[in-house]
Each structure stands twice: as C-alpha cells, then as structure tokens.
Amino acid sequence: MNTIVLDVGGTAIKSGICMDGTLTDLRETPTEASQGGAHVTARIRDIIAGYRSQTSFERIGISTAGQVNPVLGQIIYANENIPGYTGTDLKGILEEEFHVPVNVENDVNAAAIGESVFGAGKGRKNFVCLTYGTGVGGAVFCGGKLYSGSSYSAGEFGAIVTHPEDRQIGQDMFSGCYEKYASVTALVKNAMHCDASLCNGRKIFEELDNPDVKNIVDCWIAEIIYGLTTIIHMLNPECIILGGGIMEQPYILEQLRERLYPGIMQSFRQVQIEKAALGNRAGMLGASVLHDLT
C-alpha cells in the first residue's frame, strides 16, 4: 500500500513514496515559508498532485513544523518562520482534494515515531528524542507510545529555562531558554563572533583544531548537557536519541558521553545517549506509519 509522505520544514519540503518502510521517488522542494501558510499549503498540494500524475497512492502522511493536533490534522501553533500557518486544516484541505485518508503530525514527533519503528528507538519503550537545529525540538515515548500531553504539545524542551538571569518574557517568550543556547543557531551565532566565515555547523567543525573555536564548541556542548540533565532527572528514560545534521559530528557524542554522566545521579546513569539512526528520512518514515497510531 503506497503512502505519499511529506516532511515540511522551514527551508525545504522533503517528499517520497513509502511502502513497507521503503522510501522511493525522493524529492526536495523549497518551502518558501516566508510567503506564508497559505503558500506552503499550496506547495504541499502541488507536490502531492505531482506524484498523483505518476502513481497511485492510498494514504498521505504529513510531518510538519509547528504544533499539531493529530486528531484533527490541524496546525495548533506555528511561529513566524511560517507566517499565518497557525490554524491551517491540513487534513481537511488535503482529504477534500485527494480523497484519501490524511494523517498529520509535528515533525519532531514524526521523527521520533520513525526512530521508534525503524531506527534507534526500535524495541525501546521509554525514550526521548531531541533535534538540534534552528531551535530545539523534542518528543517523549512512554510505555512504547508517543506522549502528546493534554493539548498535543508535550516535548517542548526548547522552552526549558536554563538561564533565568536572561528571562525577558515581554520581549521574547524563549528568552533564557534552552534553545537560545543549545541550538545550532546559538552555536553559529557565537562562532561568527569569533570568525564571520563560520556561518554553519560544517565550517565550525572543520576549524575544531583552532583553540578558540574548540572552546566555543565545548561551551555549546555544556549548554546541551544542562538541558539533558534536567530531562533525564525528570523522565528517567532508558535512552536519549539526538537528531539534527549537527549530530553527525562524532566529537559531540564523544563529549556528551564523557561529560554528562558525572552530573547525573547514580541511579539515572543507565541512560544511553544515541545518535538518531534515520537522518533526514526519520520524519517521512514516521509519517508513513501515522495511520497505524490512530
């Protein structure tokens, strides 16, 4: 049974056809998010229509940025990275257009579902996924099931307050919060103060032999640890799965495994720190099995 799957991010929409956990006909389309939610929705419809002209499919699975009500298939909240996306009824719009069942889920939740079925979370019942990129996203699995919370918004780990001295709620709800310090955005911002050419994670890690750059990276890893320490003591997971392209850098996991454990209580130290196994396919693979969770 073919499922059209899309992973809607702020920069690109990844798409493909999934059958029994195998992705084919993979494509990537610019999101053009700054043009707003209606434009992004139109992009999604055009992508699906492109597949329909070439193949048949029985379902559509959507992994998307923003907080999602997966029951209604609607965007509860999206920040200004996609203006006007909040309130979008993706399920309703796409079912009316294509006349097949549509399932919609938050991108980090979808990636965690993908990891739970096909990747690093397979066979594990209690684990946490975190994705480090523009911000910090999270998802929680308890008893083998995704924990969504009372309003489908659980796992907003980027909002953990790690620097209360920097809180200015009236100006920025995320001021003083984890993602302001542990995201790749934060790493790049600090690195560019040192050298303006260090404008992405790859360039930063190419200069890791530079003591000043290494110090910036090590301080950033400390920020990651602050949040993980809180999460571990709150949730007592058996595993923490770390995603985002930056986690392909071996140095990060090496340092996390070396520096994290001394700062957590002995009874919590069984937690394993793993890199996400599915890379940028996780959201699409998770989207492909959303129908099994309904």
Side-chain angles (χ1 to χ4, degrees):
M1 184 175 290
N2 282 345
T3 302
I4 299 294
V5 292
L6 292 87
D7 187 5
V8 182
T11 302
I13 301 172
K14 295 184 286 291
S15 61
I17 300 170
C18 192
M19 184 173 183
D20 299 328
T22 299
L23 290 167
T24 58
D25 199 359
L26 294 173
R27 307 175 188 179
E28 189 165 307
T29 307
T31 309
E32 299 177 352
S34 63
Q35 297 190 42
H39 180 79
V40 171
T41 302
R43 302 284 277 176
I44 293 168
R45 293 166 64 184
D46 289 346
I47 291 166
I48 297 170
Y51 282 103
R52 184 174 60 178
S53 68
Q54 299 175 353
T55 189
S56 61
F57 54 90
E58 290 74 36
R59 290 187 297 260
I60 297 169
I62 307 287
S63 159
T64 180
Q67 295 177 8
V68 173
N69 179 329
V71 176
L72 299 178
Q74 297 175 348
I75 308 301
I76 300 170
Y77 171 76
N79 63 26
E80 286 307 303
N81 289 334
I82 309 181
Y85 199 39
T86 299
T88 301
D89 181 12
L90 275 183
K91 179 179 174 69
I93 292 168
L94 297 178
E95 287 187 344
E96 181 177 357
E97 175 86 12
F98 297 104
H99 308 291
V100 298
V102 176
N103 295 97
V104 185
E105 183 56 273
N106 163 265
D107 52 2
V108 181
N109 285 348
I113 291 166
E115 292 288 345
S116 75
V117 176
F118 303 106
K122 189 174 182 179
R124 303 181 190 271
K125 291 188 176 298
N126 300 288
F127 66 91
V128 173
C129 282
L130 289 103
T131 300
Y132 296 83
T134 304
V136 176
V140 181
F141 263 73
C142 292
K145 296 182 179 180
L146 178 71
Y147 176 71
S148 297
S150 62
S151 60
Y152 310 107
S153 303
E156 196 67 68
F157 297 129
I160 295 172
V161 177
T162 55
H163 290 266
E165 70 279 5
D166 293 337
R167 287 291 272 168
Q168 296 180 357
I169 299 172
Q171 297 181 26
D172 183 354
M173 183 58 70
F174 278 79
S175 60
C177 290
Y178 190 39
E179 76 170 37
K180 291 291 187 180
Y181 306 89
S183 63
V184 178
T185 301
L187 171 63
V188 170
K189 180 181 177 181
N190 290 332
M192 289 184 70
H193 286 157
C194 172
D195 181 341
S197 71
L198 302 178
C199 57
N200 60 50
R202 179 183 55 80
K203 291 183 177 181
I204 291 169
F205 278 88
E206 286 175 352
E207 297 296 322
L208 198 59
D209 289 340
N210 180 324
D212 292 334
V213 174
K214 185 174 182 296
N215 181 63
I216 289 167
V217 170
D218 286 343
C219 289
W220 173 71
I221 290 172
E223 296 290 349
I224 294 176
I225 290 171
Y226 295 154
L228 293 183
T229 300
T230 297
I231 292 164
I232 289 167
H233 285 129
M234 286 178 64
L235 298 175
N236 191 27
E238 60 186 291
C239 180
I240 291 184
I241 299 170
L242 304 177
I246 198 74
M247 291 300 163
E248 296 298 323
Q249 299 291 337
Y251 181 77
I252 301 173
L253 258 69
E254 291 169 5
Q255 287 295 298
L256 288 174
R257 288 169 176 157
E258 178 180 326
R259 296 163 57 184
L260 172 69
Y261 292 100
I264 58 178
M265 288 188 282
Q266 184 71 40
S267 55
F268 289 80
R269 292 182 188 173
Q270 84 291 340
V271 64
Q272 297 178 20
I273 308 298
E274 303 289 349
K275 183 182 74 171
L278 303 178
N280 64 8
R281 299 175 297 136
M284 288 185 288
L285 286 168
S288 76
V289 296
L290 292 175
H291 64 279
D292 293 334
L293 307 179
T294 58

